[in-house]
Amino acid sequence: MITGKALIDDVNAAVVPYGKCAFWWLGQHGFIIKLGNVVLYIDAYLSPNEARTVPPLLKPAEVTNADAIIGTHDHGDHIDRPMWPEIAQASPESILITPLYVRDSVVMDLGLQAERVIGLDDGLSITVGDVKITAVPAAHELLVIDPVTGYHEFLGVVIEGNGFCLYHAGDTTIYEGMQARLRQWKVDLAFLPINGRDAKRLKSGCIGNMTYQEAVDLAGTIRPGLTIPTHFEMFEGNSENPQLFIDYIEVKYPDLKAQIPVHGSRTLLSAASFKVSTL
């Protein structure tokens, strides 16, 4: 597992030709994505916490190469509020992307430059370099829409660039129309949460996601070139065995490829051939 400056150096050194994507798993639902020369951080959870089973791979001051920092919703392991001002300072040319639902509070509460914080909602897009980021709704237990603004509290993102398309689901369960919406794109790579949900966790305030079986069936519908199960290892009591996901997808959809991510390791994926190499 590569961490710290060595991880940043690996991201910077990675050559990502047209038609390919490189990614590094930061734990939980967090990833570094590189498309061409554009570097994105999605749901990067870098705060120290004694409850973590995996320590932060990076300090926020080490994140010097971000073109965009994306937080899919306003939970601490997705929009890491204590860390965002330091990341913004370390990558001064970056933009920060949040749901429109919380954009203004993120700006005011964290003292960020308003022009650097972009809010997205269902169907809205922003371009970073030659990479297009489009928001899609997510249903974190429920599909929550603010009755006043009509904004979604939880989002996923579809990212297109460098001849490649990936889907980061954010924290979500299946909702009506989700599969049809996602079939608008030919998804080369999908990051899907698998930690599931139950009454005990919800009663304690731990909002749930897809089960591994539901995530497999979502992959079976949208048929990505590669599916990565995520959000399964960070906290005891809110975890899942990712091998169950792999075993189930191999039996139910044997033509689909899936892979358990490794913290801090580079994976390079080609959209054309779906050949995967891990360093």
Side-chain angles (χ1 to χ4, degrees):
M1 180 172 65
I2 305 174
T3 64
K5 185 178 182 299
L7 175 55
I8 298 299
D9 289 345
D10 189 54
V11 175
N12 291 339
V15 176
V16 187
Y18 187 83
K20 294 189 177 183
C21 170
F23 67 88
W24 296 254
W25 187 36
L26 297 174
Q28 193 71 330
H29 216 353
F31 289 87
I32 305 171
I33 306 293
K34 189 170 186 180
L35 294 164
N37 293 317
V38 176
V39 177
L40 311 173
Y41 286 72
I42 306 177
D43 287 351
Y45 176 43
L46 305 183
S47 284
N49 182 340
E50 63 181 13
R52 295 180 64 132
T53 60
V54 179
L57 273 63
L58 293 167
K59 296 177 181 178
E62 293 172 327
V63 182
T64 55
N65 59 351
D67 294 297
I69 300 103
I70 303 168
T72 59
H73 62 281
D74 198 15
H75 290 166
D77 54 339
H78 296 266
I79 295 178
D80 191 348
R81 284 182 174 236
M83 301 294 104
W84 271 36
E86 295 184 58
I87 297 173
Q89 183 177 6
S91 290
E93 301 302 315
S94 65
I95 62 169
L96 299 96
I97 300 171
T98 76
L100 264 173
Y101 179 80
V102 296
R103 184 261 176 194
D104 290 349
S105 70
V106 167
V107 170
M108 290 186 292
D109 296 348
L110 303 186
L112 297 169
Q113 296 172 292
E115 62 271 18
R116 290 184 64 186
V117 184
I118 309 299
L120 294 182
D121 198 62
D122 179 19
L124 297 181
S125 301
I126 185 170
T127 300
V128 180
D130 62 353
V131 173
K132 182 181 180 182
I133 302 166
T134 303
V136 295
H140 201 0
E141 291 268 2
L142 296 170
L143 193 66
V144 181
I145 302 174
D146 183 76
V148 176
T149 63
Y151 297 151
H152 289 260
E153 184 172 349
F154 310 111
L155 296 176
V157 287
V158 175
I159 299 173
E160 303 167 271
N162 201 47
F164 197 94
C165 177
L166 68 93
Y167 169 53
H168 185 288
D171 277 6
T172 194
T173 53
I174 304 295
Y175 58 87
E176 185 176 355
M178 182 185 197
Q179 296 92 333
R181 183 189 299 269
L182 292 173
R183 282 198 294 263
Q184 298 177 64
W185 292 276
K186 175 62 183 79
V187 177
D188 298 308
L189 171 64
F191 299 113
L192 305 181
I194 65 165
N195 57 302
R197 61 200 181 277
D198 54 47
K200 181 179 178 181
R201 281 183 280 181
L202 186 57
K203 187 175 181 179
S204 70
C206 181
I207 305 174
N209 290 317
M210 292 183 284
T211 65
Y212 73 85
Q213 298 98 325
E214 291 167 333
V216 163
D217 283 332
L218 179 60
T221 300
I222 65 175
R223 308 195 67 77
L226 179 69
T227 304
I228 302 294
T230 72
H231 208 304
F232 57 77
E233 88 317 351
M234 187 59 68
F235 298 108
E236 292 184 9
N238 189 30
S239 60
E240 184 55 275
N241 179 358
Q243 189 60 49
L244 295 174
F245 175 93
I246 298 297
D247 293 344
Y248 193 44
I249 200 170
E250 286 179 350
V251 170
K252 195 166 187 179
Y253 304 101
D255 58 325
L256 293 184
K257 293 180 172 62
Q259 176 178 301
I260 299 172
V262 178
H263 296 101
S265 294
R266 185 202 308 178
T267 298
L268 184 66
L269 177 65
S270 169
S273 63
F274 304 131
K275 292 180 180 177
V276 181
S277 60
T278 302
L279 302 180

